[in-house]
Amino acid sequence: MESLINDSLLPKASARHPHIFMIVDTIFRNILLESDGNLLVQTLMQMFTRSFIQALLFGEAQDKPPLKAFFPHNPQPLLMALLKHPSDVPSQVWPQHLLCIVETLKVAVEDKDNGGSQRGLFENWFLLVHCGDWVDIAAQQLIASKAETSEALLWLLAFYHHPNNENQQRTKLLAVARKVCDHLKVLFSSTTLSLSHLQTSLDLAEANSEESGSKYLFNQLFLNFLLFSAGGQVIAKDAVHLVSTSFDT
């Protein structure tokens, strides 16, 4: 699918003509909202965004519109941080870059709390969905890093999966997500994992999966644990089934 998008003329045309980009973007917005944030739609958006950014970067300088022509409602610092793809940033710099994203995004979100518009909240969330590769990196860092669990990265995942959560809801979700994450980090280096090792984290997550956006956040944490932990791939098939059924009930 990504190769089809890359070979398409649409990302290239969008990079040269902001009005074309706006039409495509509006279509994505409508489909995303109508599908209640469908993950496949998000993936297609992110593929298109990667191809669009490449076309924008390598286009002729004299024909290149400014970023604000494509994203008029987003703060420039947030644009610059999110539109830089993780592959263009050294992996050792990812933690600092993610903190920059979170700090800039929080400022934009807090503007809404201080009298800004709901539209501003949505615009910044939608930009984050466009650049969801950084959310994937955040989830990976949360699980794989030996450092203490980052409240900032947990906040990013919580905002991504449910931007409309009120402060009290988000605080509760973050507290549970931290406990789940801390337990998974303890298991991360074990080479002899079994499904029973995951049960404590699963029970904790399942008991709190009614919170808005929580099951998607927990799913992302568990899947990253299975992908990157020493013993996760050994139990991956059964564990994925266990995780999916835990949150679907």
Side-chain angles (χ1 to χ4, degrees):
M1 178 62 74
E2 188 154 13
S3 61
L4 290 175
I5 293 174
N6 289 336
D7 292 339
S8 166
L9 293 176
L10 191 56
K12 300 176 181 65
S14 298
R16 296 189 59 152
H17 303 288
H19 66 279
I20 296 178
F21 175 82
M22 293 296 189
I23 293 171
V24 176
D25 204 45
T26 299
I27 293 171
F28 273 131
R29 288 168 186 249
N30 291 337
I31 296 174
L32 186 66
L33 292 176
E34 289 173 6
S35 65
D36 196 26
N38 182 274
L39 292 179
L40 178 58
V41 177
Q42 292 185 31
T43 301
L44 288 173
M45 279 179 56
Q46 289 157 17
M47 289 179 182
F48 172 81
T49 302
R50 284 194 290 270
S51 187
F52 161 75
I53 293 299
Q54 286 299 306
L56 192 63
L57 288 175
F58 294 106
E60 294 294 332
Q62 63 270 25
D63 297 330
K64 192 182 298 183
L67 279 176
K68 272 294 183 182
F70 303 99
F71 303 98
H73 305 294
N74 302 105
Q76 187 75 8
L78 186 61
L79 279 174
M80 299 303 293
L82 280 174
L83 293 178
K84 184 175 290 187
H85 193 266
S87 62
D88 297 324
V89 178
S91 58
Q92 65 269 25
V93 183
W94 285 350
Q96 295 95 315
H97 193 86
L98 282 164
L99 286 178
C100 175
I101 289 172
V102 173
E103 289 169 3
T104 311
L105 185 57
K106 273 190 170 183
V107 169
V109 172
E110 286 166 3
D111 281 346
K112 178 255 178 183
D113 294 334
N114 292 325
S117 66
Q118 183 72 16
R119 179 180 181 179
L121 177 73
F122 174 76
E123 292 289 347
N124 289 305
W125 171 76
F126 195 67
L127 177 63
L128 184 63
V129 175
H130 265 295
C131 306
D133 291 317
W134 281 114
V135 179
D136 294 335
I137 296 295
Q140 177 186 334
Q141 292 279 305
L142 277 167
I143 294 299
S145 173
K146 294 180 181 180
E148 184 180 351
T149 299
S150 168
E151 292 288 343
L153 298 189
L154 284 174
W155 183 93
L156 184 67
L157 264 65
F159 178 76
Y160 178 80
H161 290 298
H162 204 291
N164 285 320
N165 267 0
E166 297 296 332
N167 286 338
Q168 187 174 359
Q169 291 175 303
R170 187 170 290 141
T171 299
K172 180 181 177 182
L173 175 57
L174 289 177
V176 177
R178 183 184 180 90
K179 291 179 181 178
V180 171
C181 198
D182 285 345
H183 186 257
L184 292 177
K185 286 166 77 75
V186 170
L187 300 176
F188 188 80
S189 298
S190 174
T191 56
T192 56
L193 286 176
S194 67
L195 293 182
S196 62
H197 288 118
L198 292 180
Q199 199 61 55
T200 299
S201 293
L202 271 173
D203 289 345
L204 183 59
E206 188 177 1
N208 293 273
S209 62
E210 295 303 313
E211 290 291 323
S212 296
S214 61
K215 66 178 180 179
Y216 302 111
L217 189 158
F218 293 139
N219 262 323
Q220 191 166 22
L221 291 176
F222 281 111
L223 290 177
N224 273 270
F225 173 80
L226 295 174
L227 277 172
F228 297 108
S229 64
Q233 295 184 24
V234 177
I235 62 169
K237 182 177 180 180
D238 292 333
V240 167
H241 176 72
L242 179 63
V243 170
S244 62
T245 53
S246 294
F247 297 132
D248 286 343
T249 55

